[in-house]
Amino acid sequence: MLYQLSEMKDFIKNPVNLHKVEFWAATTMFVFAVFFLVAKSANGDTNALWTTYKWNFEESRAQYSFYTNYFFPQISRYVILYTSFIVFNFYITPRVLKRKEPVLTILLIILSISFMGVLLGVADTYLKAFLLVKYDDLKDAYNYIFQTNFVYTFWLVMMFALYSIIKYTAQYLLLNSELIQSKYQIISREGLIAFVLWMISVFLLLIGQAPHEVVGVWTVIIPFGIGLYWYSFYDLIPKSIKTKRPFYNYILKVILITIVAIFPIIPIALIIYNKGEMAVAINLFNIAFQLLITAPLAWVVYKRRLAGDQELYILKTELGRSYANFDFLRSQINPHFLFNALNTLYGTAIQEKADRTGEGIQRLGDMMRFMLQENMQEKISLTREVEYLNNYITLQKLRTDTSPDVKIEAEIEEQFNTLQISPMLLIPFVENAFKHGISLREPSHIKIALQTKENTLYFDINNSIHPKPENDPEKNKSGIGLNNVKQRLRLLYPNKHELMIRETGKEFFVHLTIQLA
């Protein structure tokens, strides 16, 4: 689904793709309209066919010809409408949006409207020739026909403008659906798509000159349904699920909302229809529509999404844990560090006749045992994690104790509690501090603090920063890095941790709190 959404976004982003769809959709409609008109004229006795204004010709006793008074005028109208759409959609509207030569653009709009009005008026003098008989003065008849067509032309231009508004609004909403949803949690992607489809459907109803009643119902009930769907996802259903009878509780809330909605819908319906009985009918239809269609649909979609999210979360957690543990086991203590440690131990053995060497080897053995045995467990005692940290810091101190400009402070509180933590969660920060914070040639410092209060762990690191020399084999190696530990924290302690990382030109700061219970 995410792949399909990405494909759709890539398609929408390219204006050429949209223009192709629009062009071929308009061309297809034009071809079909002409085809049905030609197919209609294929009947042998064309004058016997029923057409739009034939009855008016008969009533006025005006001379009627299928081809002169219907076929050719109708073909002309189709050509004018098709050409007008192409001109406005692909040429004039982009100029307006880009504010390109505004004076020339206004002139083009005026000329286009004038051309459309005149051409449609000429076509109508044949299509509605019966009016020439009804009026005593031909001038009055022509004035009526052309005035009507100019009004119709202005209406068409408004429809083209409405189409452009819908198109660019839909494009913006679909391309930014994730951003909109992150800012406004009440808005769902399905709701945005429904809103776009509603705008398109209103345009089609208007351009198709649908009955006044149908347009009114569609413009009142569907937006209310979309709003109810959004609100159900954001508030009604999540709160209802926590009750003993969730669906019953949810439906009662929907009934209450639809009853309250009667008060704003009645004046809107009265404005549209100016009839009290229509206002009552729309409200009854709205209540039935929301209760029978919108509310159950929102409930089913929410439940399916909830089940899908839970399954996806479990899979992501297990997969993330597997990858993270594998990476830690493989890379946490890299060979370069082990060689450094062994070399340090060897030098210490020569200088001190193996006193500190034994301690170093013991700590290194404890660390390797920890990695091989306890690292693969889901949780270990915080005491063991702290022991591992102390062993690591002590080993690193063996390497740096000979340098007076290196200061390492570790205020790690001894743990006597029963708290547990995911293994190898804290060491990346310490490893990062020693990797980037220690230089045996320049003043360096590392300060590590760890303490617990009740069930909360507080962990702070502050270290200097020293760029690695070009010949250092660790320069281009990132190891596990902070991104991995951030991922593990999100997976293992969602909403139970706070990680703040700050870096200046010379220092690096980490503050981490974790609720361990």
Side-chain angles (χ1 to χ4, degrees), residues 164-223:
S164 296
I165 292 171
I166 292 172
K167 179 177 71 174
Y168 289 109
T169 301
Q171 188 176 4
Y172 173 81
L173 292 175
L174 294 176
L175 286 176
N176 297 279
S177 59
E178 294 178 359
L179 178 62
I180 294 170
Q181 196 172 1
S182 65
K183 284 187 176 181
Y184 309 100
Q185 294 182 358
I186 192 173
I187 298 177
S188 65
R189 185 180 295 114
E190 294 85 355
L192 287 174
I193 294 172
F195 181 69
V196 170
L197 293 176
W198 171 75
M199 290 193 299
I200 295 171
S201 65
V202 170
F203 171 77
L204 293 175
L205 288 173
L206 291 173
I207 203 74
Q209 297 182 335
H212 187 57
E213 294 78 7
V214 174
V215 176
V217 169
W218 200 254
T219 53
V220 171
I221 291 176
I222 300 303

Side-chain angles (χ1 to χ4, degrees), residues 461-507:
I461 296 181
N462 164 225
N463 60 270
S464 52
I465 298 176
H466 299 285
K468 294 287 183 183
E470 290 297 328
N471 59 353
D472 193 315
E474 290 292 296
K475 179 175 176 60
N476 297 317
K477 291 184 179 180
S478 59
I480 290 304
L482 300 183
N483 287 333
N484 183 280
V485 76
K486 288 178 183 177
Q487 178 193 7
R488 294 186 75 213
L489 284 167
R490 283 195 299 267
L491 291 169
L492 300 172
Y493 296 96
N495 302 319
K496 290 187 175 182
H497 77 278
E498 180 183 13
L499 175 62
M500 292 188 294
I501 297 176
R502 186 167 61 89
E503 182 177 357
T504 66
K506 296 182 178 181
E507 288 187 294

Side-chain angles (χ1 to χ4, degrees), residues 257-274:
I257 289 173
T258 53
I259 291 174
V260 173
I262 290 175
F263 299 101
I265 289 177
I266 283 180
I268 294 173
L270 288 174
I271 292 172
I272 296 174
Y273 300 108
N274 199 24

